Protein backbone atom coordinates (compact mmCIF):
# COMPACT_ATOMS: atom_id res chain seq x y z
CA UNK A 1 0.00 0.00 0.00
CA UNK A 2 1.38 3.37 -0.92
CA UNK A 3 1.85 6.26 1.44
CA UNK A 4 -1.19 8.12 0.12
CA UNK A 5 -3.41 5.06 0.60
CA UNK A 6 -2.03 4.59 4.12
CA UNK A 7 -2.81 8.20 5.03
CA UNK A 8 -6.33 7.96 3.59
CA UNK A 9 -6.97 4.70 5.44
CA UNK A 10 -5.97 6.31 8.74
CA UNK A 11 -8.84 8.74 8.29
CA UNK A 12 -11.46 6.03 7.81
CA UNK A 13 -10.07 3.15 9.86
CA UNK A 14 -12.21 3.86 12.92
CA UNK A 15 -15.40 3.77 10.89
CA UNK A 16 -14.16 0.65 9.12
CA UNK A 17 -13.53 -1.15 12.41
CA UNK A 18 -16.92 -0.08 13.75
CA UNK A 19 -18.47 -1.49 10.57
CA UNK A 20 -16.66 -4.79 11.14
CA UNK A 21 -18.00 -4.90 14.70
CA UNK A 22 -21.50 -4.17 13.44
CA UNK A 23 -21.39 -7.62 11.78
CA UNK A 24 -20.52 -9.42 15.02
CA UNK A 25 -18.39 -9.11 18.16
CA UNK A 26 -14.68 -9.77 17.56
CA UNK A 27 -11.26 -9.50 19.16
CA UNK A 28 -8.38 -7.48 17.78
CA UNK A 29 -6.59 -10.19 15.85
CA UNK A 30 -9.85 -11.31 14.20
CA UNK A 31 -10.52 -7.77 13.01
CA UNK A 32 -7.00 -7.35 11.65
CA UNK A 33 -7.11 -10.75 9.90
CA UNK A 34 -10.49 -10.01 8.34
CA UNK A 35 -9.36 -6.60 7.08
CA UNK A 36 -6.27 -8.23 5.56
CA UNK A 37 -8.49 -10.77 3.81
CA UNK A 38 -10.44 -7.85 2.36
CA UNK A 39 -7.29 -6.45 0.76
CA UNK A 40 -5.90 -4.23 3.50
CA UNK A 41 -2.78 -6.38 3.67
CA UNK A 42 -0.52 -3.75 5.23
CA UNK A 43 -2.66 -3.02 8.29
CA UNK A 44 -0.55 -3.48 11.39
CA UNK A 45 -2.08 -5.36 14.29
CA UNK A 46 -0.85 -2.64 16.65
CA UNK A 47 -2.79 -0.02 14.71
CA UNK A 48 -6.05 -1.91 15.21
CA UNK A 49 -5.33 -2.53 18.91
CA UNK A 50 -4.60 1.16 19.51
CA UNK A 51 -7.82 2.07 17.72
CA UNK A 52 -9.80 -0.43 19.82
CA UNK A 53 -8.44 1.16 23.00
CA UNK A 54 -9.58 4.59 21.74
CA UNK A 55 -13.09 3.47 20.79
CA UNK A 56 -13.38 1.67 24.14
CA UNK A 57 -12.35 4.84 26.00
CA UNK A 58 -14.90 6.84 23.98
CA UNK A 59 -17.64 4.40 24.97
CA UNK A 60 -18.40 3.21 21.43
CA UNK A 61 -17.98 -0.50 22.20
CA UNK A 62 -18.67 -2.94 24.98
CA UNK A 63 -15.86 -5.26 26.02
CA UNK A 64 -16.06 -8.76 27.38
CA UNK A 65 -13.09 -10.85 28.46
CA UNK A 66 -13.40 -14.34 27.06
CA UNK A 67 -11.14 -17.26 28.07
CA UNK A 68 -8.60 -18.24 25.41
CA UNK A 69 -7.08 -21.67 24.83
CA UNK A 70 -3.77 -20.07 23.86
CA UNK A 71 -3.09 -17.67 26.70
CA UNK A 72 -4.68 -14.88 28.68
CA UNK A 73 -8.35 -14.00 28.19
CA UNK A 74 -9.18 -12.15 24.98
CA UNK A 75 -10.99 -8.84 24.91
CA UNK A 76 -13.99 -9.26 22.64
CA UNK A 77 -15.44 -5.99 21.39
CA UNK A 78 -19.06 -5.45 20.41
CA UNK A 79 -20.70 -2.35 19.04
CA UNK A 80 -23.07 -0.65 21.47
CA UNK A 81 -25.80 1.92 20.79
CA UNK A 82 -23.40 4.85 20.92
CA UNK A 83 -21.07 3.03 18.51
CA UNK A 84 -23.96 2.35 16.13
CA UNK A 85 -24.82 6.03 16.13
CA UNK A 86 -21.18 6.85 15.40
CA UNK A 87 -21.15 4.27 12.60
CA UNK A 88 -24.30 5.78 11.06
CA UNK A 89 -22.60 9.20 11.11
CA UNK A 90 -19.48 7.67 9.54
CA UNK A 91 -21.47 6.17 6.64
CA UNK A 92 -23.35 9.42 6.12
CA UNK A 93 -20.11 11.40 6.03
CA UNK A 94 -18.49 8.78 3.78
CA UNK A 95 -21.37 8.99 1.29
CA UNK A 96 -21.23 12.79 1.31
CA UNK A 97 -17.48 12.91 0.70
CA UNK A 98 -17.36 10.07 -1.83
CA UNK A 99 -20.13 11.65 -3.91
CA UNK A 100 -18.46 15.06 -3.95
CA UNK A 101 -14.98 13.70 -4.67
CA UNK A 102 -16.38 11.65 -7.55
CA UNK A 103 -18.26 14.69 -8.86
CA UNK A 104 -15.07 16.74 -8.62
CA UNK A 105 -13.05 14.06 -10.39
CA UNK A 106 -15.63 13.78 -13.18
CA UNK A 107 -15.76 17.55 -13.59
CA UNK A 108 -11.99 17.86 -13.75
CA UNK A 109 -11.58 14.97 -16.18
CA UNK A 110 -14.36 16.27 -18.47
CA UNK A 111 -12.94 19.79 -18.21
CA UNK A 112 -9.47 18.79 -19.44
Amino acid sequence: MGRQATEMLKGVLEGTVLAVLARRPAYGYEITAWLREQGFADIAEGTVYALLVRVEQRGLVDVEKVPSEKGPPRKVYSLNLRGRTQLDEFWSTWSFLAERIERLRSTLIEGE
Side-chain angles (χ1 to χ4, degrees), residues 20 25 28-29 39-40 42 55 60 63-64 68 74 77 92 112:
V20 171
Y29 180 77
F40 299 104
D42 293 340
V55 296
L60 302 177
V63 180
E64 179 183 0
S68 170
R74 290 181 172 147
Y77 299 86
S92 176
E112 290 181 3

Side-chain angles (χ1 to χ4, degrees), residues 13-90:
L13 190 57
E14 180 180 304
T16 304
V17 168
L18 294 178
V20 171
L21 291 174
R23 292 177 51 226
R24 66 177 183 85
Y27 55 93
Y29 180 77
E30 281 183 300
I31 296 168
T32 304
W34 191 82
L35 289 172
R36 287 177 178 162
E37 288 173 13
Q38 302 310 309
F40 299 104
D42 293 340
I43 286 185
E45 206 171 320
T47 301
V48 172
Y49 281 111
L51 189 147
L52 287 169
V53 168
R54 283 196 309 272
V55 296
E56 180 183 359
Q57 290 173 342
R58 292 176 52 211
L60 302 177
V61 293
D62 294 328
V63 180
E64 179 183 0
K65 287 192 175 184
V66 175
S68 170
E69 297 171 4
K70 298 181 179 177
R74 290 181 172 147
K75 290 176 90 174
V76 176
Y77 299 86
S78 59
L79 201 61
N80 61 25
L81 183 59
R82 191 171 176 182
R84 287 197 182 277
T85 301
Q86 184 70 22
L87 178 59
D88 290 344
E89 289 178 24
F90 168 77

